Amino acid sequence: MGKTDSPTEKRALTIIGFLCNWCSYGGADTAGVCRFKQPTDLRVIRVPCTGRMDPLFIARALILGADGVLVSGCHPRDCHYAVGNLYARRRLEILKRMLPFMGIHADRFHYTWVSASEGQRWQQVVTEFSEQVGGLGPNPGVTSFHTGNREEL
Amino acid sequence: MRIGVFVCQCGTNIAGTVDTEAVARDALRHPEVVYATSYMYTCSEPGQQQIQRAIEEQDLQGVVVAACSPRMHEPTFRRAVEKAGLNRYMFEMANIREHVSWISNDRAANTLKAADLVQMAVAKLRFNHPLFSSQVPINKRVMVIGGGVAGIQAALDCADGGLEVVMVERQPSIGGKMAKLDKTFPTVDCSSCILGPKMVDVVQKENIRLYAGSEVESVSGYIGNFTVQIRKKTTYVDWSLCTGCGLCMEKCPSRKVPDHFNEDLGNTRAISIPFPQAIPKKAAIDKEYCRQFSKGKCGVCKKICPVGAIDFDMEDEFISEEVGAVIVATGFDLFDHSVYGEYGGGRFPDVISGLQYERILSASGPFGGHIQRPSDGREPKNIVFIACVGSRDASVGRPYCSGVCCMYIAKQAILTRDHLPDANCYVFYMDIRSPGKNYDEFVRRAQEEYGVHYIRGRVGKIYPKNDHLIVQGADTLLGAQVEVEADLVVLATGIEAAAGAKELAEKLRISYDLHGFYMESHPKLRPVETNTAGVYLAGVCQGPKDIPSSVAQGSAAAAKVQALFYRDTIETSPQVALVNERACVACGKCIQVCPFGAIQWKQLRGGVQKAEVLASVCQGCGLCNATCPPKAVQLQHCTDSQILAEIDVLCA
């Protein structure tokens, strides 16, 4: 978390977080209420359920140059809509395996489950994912795949 | 669209680590943002008036408020813009407090992040449309799950208000844990004397329907219209005939059945009424111990029963109940102290749990209220109480305080000294937690008036020696080791979530925390509601609490239900899925995935069929939207265009 202490640093990374309204968005709120310090690169988009996640949202974000995408929902079996996160789990797992074929490092995408009470877990998820994406550096863009810059893969 | 942006400073909560003026200035970069300002407390009355004035003066068509979490104040601001004549869905919120100012002290990075979140909200708002809710009728019946004191209070309050109540209790009798208690702190009044009349009220009220020995099997529907399947577990006794005379129990030859009501301290029969004050006072057969089931012959109860209520072929029964709201009051279970090897790991019969001691003290308990050791029936001279057994101990996964043990130890020590004036009582404690009306005074009375020895420190070991138990511990105030030769050791076993709490939460679609306690909607301001509309909480299922707090929460839940039922209809959220018939290819995938059966076929002229969403059934999860191949189903207020707009503005 040393990065966040530097006051002059601009947004180095663009990380988008899709959080379900019922669990993970609440978990992120809980982390805030508890003042659990986190890296600042993440920008959250609230969705009703991870089942709302069209994998193309994630693909599009990464193609447009987002450095990382995080999806977090309710723990399996604890979905507010009963089964939404189970559909999400299948779709997102397949997407994760497909990303390298699009020239995108699979580590730029992560999906997980954080409940509304797990503020501390949210802090950990954000910190680890931000570090993981930070380690990969800025997204070179999918065009690099065709221009021969395939080091990232 | 003419958009106004209002950046809240939240006193210094946001302004302390975010340059709110800069965020407002940055918002004006967007060509459609015609007005942007920052204010001390946007949620306050002058703050809301500022928004309303701006809507009028600037002719705004949409409003963005950058402030706290929308889970907190989205309804507040929606009402505010509605009062100024805008549709309430022409409003978006950017969360720059919980997600920005409170999680980092880096002012520059925070300001940049807040500005990004505002731009995302503006981008989404551009695709918002006015939405209008509809009304559905409310079924004015309420279900109370759990018949402990919290559930009983909730049920009686609802019934007093004229509502029809359905109560489901897992055990064969209502009463919960309170029915097992001898006395209650700090008044030392008899537990069954204050609870008993309330239990009787439950069966006597004509508008309460009680299902004892029953469990919730499944829950479907939504606020105002739930359908609950109840499994009535078989008792092999027809309760419509059973009069509770107890003849069967007297004659039953299977006599070595652990008495669960007495915390397994005594024995009962294979057919039994759980306790004399049981409500309903009906007999039930424990199949595991019944000779008819284990040996295939006996039938003594069947022969003796004067009304012919015994039926060995009885099976579980399923009942469906329609209700408009659900109060969950499923209580707790006791921590299993056998994980503590140093306290004997459950091997010593004279090391008992707090609730077992409560049964020993009780006049209706296994020893008729006479204090004696479970092992040999001898009257104990030295009694040691150990606090925080399964509370405030991260090593056994129970880091929380159970809240009641300090008080019940004080009560049990006082009662012990009352019963046995010559006995010595020792209490090993970590801290004494007694915040409550007359609570601290009560603990002081135990120490000063009743001469209970309080020793601040933990116990390291208990081992048997001759006829006694040697309790080795530390006195951290004296800085010395202490050894007490005890006859009886009472462990102040803590509270844990009830067995099956998580499974029930999954059926009700409510959340629970790390320890299995149900999550309230807001820890301070919505302590009774859950995040599932129409489901309310009461008692210890939400977190450890004492009897007065459980009763208060039971009444609070009842009040919430009464408020909900005061209207005849309920406004449904218009944030539901909508099918664009021209794009629909009738593949039926949305119908397959919808968890609520909210999508059906609609027949058009010429035999053409299209998917159609039943707005009153749709819960707005958006699963169909993500599934639909041509994207013909769109979740209103969270359409593909809106999510993509947010992504695009961030990646631009």
Side-chain angles (χ1 to χ4, degrees):
Chain A
M1 255 174 291
K3 277 184 63 182
T4 55
D5 298 328
S6 141
T8 50
E9 203 166 339
K10 286 283 163 195
R11 166 164 42 119
L13 297 170
T14 302
I15 304 178
I16 306 181
F18 292 96
L19 308 194
C20 89
N21 178 50
W22 304 98
C23 292
S24 293
Y25 198 92
D29 281 358
T30 305
V33 170
C34 299
R35 313 297 201 274
F36 292 148
K37 297 289 177 257
Q38 299 154 38
T40 55
D41 304 308
L42 183 82
R43 307 287 185 265
V44 170
I45 296 177
R46 184 164 66 134
V47 290
C49 176
T50 47
R52 172 70 185 89
M53 287 306 297
D54 190 323
L56 291 175
F57 295 157
I58 300 152
R60 168 134 157 173
L62 291 167
I63 290 168
L64 286 178
D67 301 304
V69 175
L70 175 66
V71 177
S72 184
C74 305
H75 287 278
R77 301 201 62 194
D78 198 20
C79 177
H80 184 77
Y81 301 105
V83 293
N85 55 2
L86 303 181
Y87 281 94
R89 185 166 61 178
R90 287 193 197 176
R91 291 171 180 168
L92 298 179
E93 184 55 42
I94 289 170
L95 174 78
K96 193 167 175 64
R97 293 176 195 193
M98 274 182 59
L99 287 175
F101 295 94
M102 297 162 62
I104 295 165
H105 200 298
D107 282 355
R108 293 195 181 277
F109 168 59
H110 181 56
Y111 67 91
T112 187
W113 324 112
V114 175
S115 84
S117 65
E118 294 176 327
Q120 209 147 12
R121 181 170 149 72
W122 174 249
Q123 177 192 35
Q124 192 191 338
V125 163
V126 175
T127 307
E128 284 175 9
F129 185 66
S130 300
E131 277 167 11
Q132 180 178 317
V133 174
L136 292 172
N139 185 348
V142 281
T143 46
S144 63
F145 185 77
H146 303 287
T147 54
N149 178 10
R150 302 172 69 169
E151 281 154 30
E152 212 187 24
L153 306 173
Chain B
M1 190 184 286
R2 293 177 64 82
I3 295 170
V5 173
F6 300 83
V7 185
C8 181
Q9 297 164 6
C10 198
T12 57
N13 280 309
I14 293 171
T17 58
V18 173
D19 184 346
T20 51
E21 298 289 343
V23 174
R25 275 197 308 277
D26 181 83
L28 285 167
R29 281 193 304 126
H30 194 286
E32 295 181 35
V33 174
V34 294
Y35 183 82
T37 186
S38 146
Y39 189 73
M40 179 84 99
Y41 289 108
T42 308
C43 62
S44 67
E45 203 187 353
Q48 296 188 34
Q49 281 166 351
Q50 184 192 43
I51 297 174
Q52 289 158 345
R53 238 186 354 261
I55 291 173
E56 227 163 275
E57 288 169 4
Q58 303 290 329
D59 197 19
L60 299 180
Q61 294 161 303
V63 168
V64 168
V65 172
C68 50
S69 171
R71 283 163 59 101
M72 178 85 192
H73 273 322
E74 193 171 56
T76 315
F77 291 120
R78 277 184 175 165
R79 275 196 300 273
V81 301
E82 198 166 46
K83 268 190 192 159
L86 279 189
N87 182 277
R88 72 170 88 154
Y89 292 95
M90 298 309 287
F91 166 78
E92 285 299 328
M93 237 177 139
N95 183 348
I96 62 167
R97 193 178 73 173
E98 282 84 345
H99 290 190
V100 181
S101 71
W102 277 351
I103 58 163
S104 160
N105 294 325
D106 182 340
R107 198 174 169 83
N110 282 357
T111 305
L112 183 69
K113 183 173 178 182
D116 278 348
L117 292 175
V118 168
Q119 291 295 341
M120 288 160 71
V122 170
K124 182 184 177 206
L125 177 63
R126 290 182 60 243
F127 290 91
N128 282 20
H129 295 288
L131 298 174
F132 301 93
S133 35
S134 52
Q135 304 280 331
V136 292
I138 295 176
N139 181 353
K140 295 189 184 183
R141 301 177 81 224
V142 56
M143 171 166 290
V144 178
I145 306 175
V149 69
I152 289 174
Q153 184 69 33
L156 290 178
D157 282 2
C158 286
D160 280 342
L163 298 180
E164 255 187 75
V165 182
V166 179
M167 180 183 261
V168 180
E169 165 60 50
R170 177 158 66 175
Q171 301 295 333
S173 168
I174 59 169
K177 295 287 186 294
M178 189 178 168
K180 297 189 177 193
L181 305 183
D182 176 40
K183 303 280 196 305
T184 58
F185 59 78
T187 47
V188 202
D189 43 5
C190 159
S191 184
S192 57
C193 315
I194 53 178
L195 182 67
K198 280 183 177 290
M199 289 165 62
V200 175
D201 275 356
V202 169
V203 277
Q204 288 189 342
K205 291 252 185 227
E206 278 173 8
N207 47 351
I208 300 182
R209 184 180 292 179
L210 173 61
Y211 294 101
S214 304
E215 287 191 58
V216 168
E217 189 73 8
S218 67
V219 183
S220 60
Y222 46 91
I223 181 169
N225 296 281
F226 291 103
T227 304
V228 185
Q229 289 286 336
I230 301 164
R231 175 198 286 266
K232 200 170 183 316
K233 293 179 286 188
T234 174
T235 56
Y236 304 104
V237 179
D238 185 344
W239 280 8
S240 63
L241 300 173
C242 176
T243 58
C245 68
L247 263 179
C248 52
M249 196 174 166
E250 228 169 83
K251 300 287 180 201
C252 176
S254 179
R255 286 156 190 260
K256 291 249 164 92
V257 182
D259 187 351
H260 297 316
F261 184 76
N262 279 328
E263 294 291 305
D264 297 348
L265 279 176
N267 286 329
T268 183
R269 310 292 166 86
I271 183 165
S272 66
I273 296 165
F275 56 105
Q277 302 89 345
I279 299 285
K281 198 175 177 183
K282 307 282 181 192
I285 290 177
D286 187 338
K287 195 175 174 181
E288 198 184 326
Y289 294 94
C290 175
R291 292 187 184 186
Q292 180 70 33
F293 288 103
S294 60
K295 298 208 168 85
K297 58 173 186 184
C298 174
V300 171
C301 48
K302 196 177 170 95
K303 276 172 227 146
I304 200 88
C305 179
V307 290
I310 313 290
D311 175 6
F312 294 117
D313 300 323
M314 209 176 197
E315 279 176 1
D316 287 4
E317 197 183 328
F318 292 90
I319 303 135
S320 175
E321 286 281 359
E322 314 267 322
V323 294
V326 178
I327 296 173
V328 190
T330 47
F332 65 101
D333 273 321
L334 230 50
F335 179 79
D336 175 12
H337 62 76
S338 67
V339 304
Y340 282 102
E342 60 266 43
Y343 302 152
R347 284 178 293 122
F348 307 140
D350 294 329
V351 177
I352 59 175
S353 75
L355 201 51
Q356 284 179 317
Y357 195 55
E358 204 70 47
R359 291 313 302 151
I360 291 179
L361 288 168
S362 170
S364 67
F367 312 131
H370 180 69
I371 300 177
Q372 61 184 61
R373 310 206 313 173
S375 61
D376 53 10
R378 213 157 45 81
E379 199 172 85
K381 275 277 169 289
N382 295 309
I383 300 164
V384 171
F385 296 88
I386 302 176
C388 295
V389 178
S391 299
R392 303 177 66 198
D393 188 348
S395 71
V396 295
R398 299 288 179 271
Y400 55 86
C401 172
S402 291
V404 293
C405 323
C406 287
M407 293 306 298
Y408 83 63
I409 294 184
K411 174 196 70 182
Q412 291 180 342
I414 285 177
L415 291 173
T416 307
R417 296 278 288 166
D418 263 340
H419 284 265
L420 308 171
D422 296 331
N424 296 308
C425 291
Y426 301 87
V427 174
F428 284 89
Y429 68 98
M430 284 171 32
D431 300 288
I432 297 175
R433 301 203 159 169
S434 51
K437 202 171 173 182
N438 291 322
Y439 282 15
D440 205 55
E441 295 91 319
F442 184 71
V443 175
R444 259 178 208 289
R445 264 178 68 205
Q447 294 171 327
E448 290 162 8
E449 206 177 305
Y450 285 86
V452 177
H453 305 291
Y454 271 72
I455 303 164
R456 188 179 189 279
R458 300 292 291 160
V459 168
K461 195 176 181 188
I462 300 173
Y463 63 91
K465 191 180 171 191
N466 300 331
D467 219 7
H468 305 287
L469 292 159
I470 307 297
V471 180
Q472 281 184 341
D475 186 331
T476 55
L477 295 180
L478 287 178
Q481 294 297 311
V482 213
E483 215 174 78
V484 182
E485 204 178 81
D487 301 303
L488 184 66
V489 178
V490 180
L491 304 177
T493 34
I495 284 172
E496 63 180 25
K502 291 178 182 175
E503 289 74 16
L504 181 65
E506 283 154 14
K507 286 171 191 165
L508 289 162
R509 300 192 301 275
I510 59 177
S511 329
Y512 47 86
D513 70 12
L514 196 60
H515 306 292
F517 294 112
Y518 297 147
M519 289 274 294
E520 62 280 12
S521 197
H522 188 280
K524 304 218 167 34
L525 301 179
R526 288 160 68 83
V528 180
E529 296 95 325
T530 64
N531 276 332
T532 299
V535 179
Y536 304 91
L537 302 176
V540 184
C541 65
Q542 179 255 339
K545 53 177 71 68
D546 57 11
I547 292 169
S549 307
S550 295
V551 171
Q553 208 181 5
S555 283
K560 284 284 168 191
V561 172
Q562 306 256 20
L564 170 70
F565 287 180
Y566 189 72
R567 295 164 184 230
D568 295 321
T569 56
I570 185 164
E571 211 170 68
T572 60
S573 165
Q575 298 178 68
V576 294
L578 192 68
V579 180
N580 174 1
E581 283 178 10
R582 284 163 62 189
C584 175
V585 294
C587 65
K589 288 202 168 76
C590 54
I591 298 176
Q592 280 171 17
V593 297
C594 179
F596 308 100
I599 311 181
Q600 61 182 27
W601 290 118
K602 178 186 184 183
Q603 303 297 331
L604 300 182
R605 266 181 298 181
V608 181
Q609 59 179 9
K610 299 284 179 184
E612 181 188 39
V613 176
L614 303 168
S616 63
V617 183
C618 176
Q619 298 294 293
C621 68
L623 189 52
C624 52
N625 193 160
T627 307
C628 178
K631 301 299 162 204
V633 189
Q634 287 292 318
L635 179 62
Q636 299 304 293
H637 212 60
C638 189
T639 60
D640 288 347
S641 316
Q642 291 181 305
I643 293 176
L644 292 173
E646 289 185 86
I647 295 171
D648 289 359
V649 74
L650 200 51
C651 297

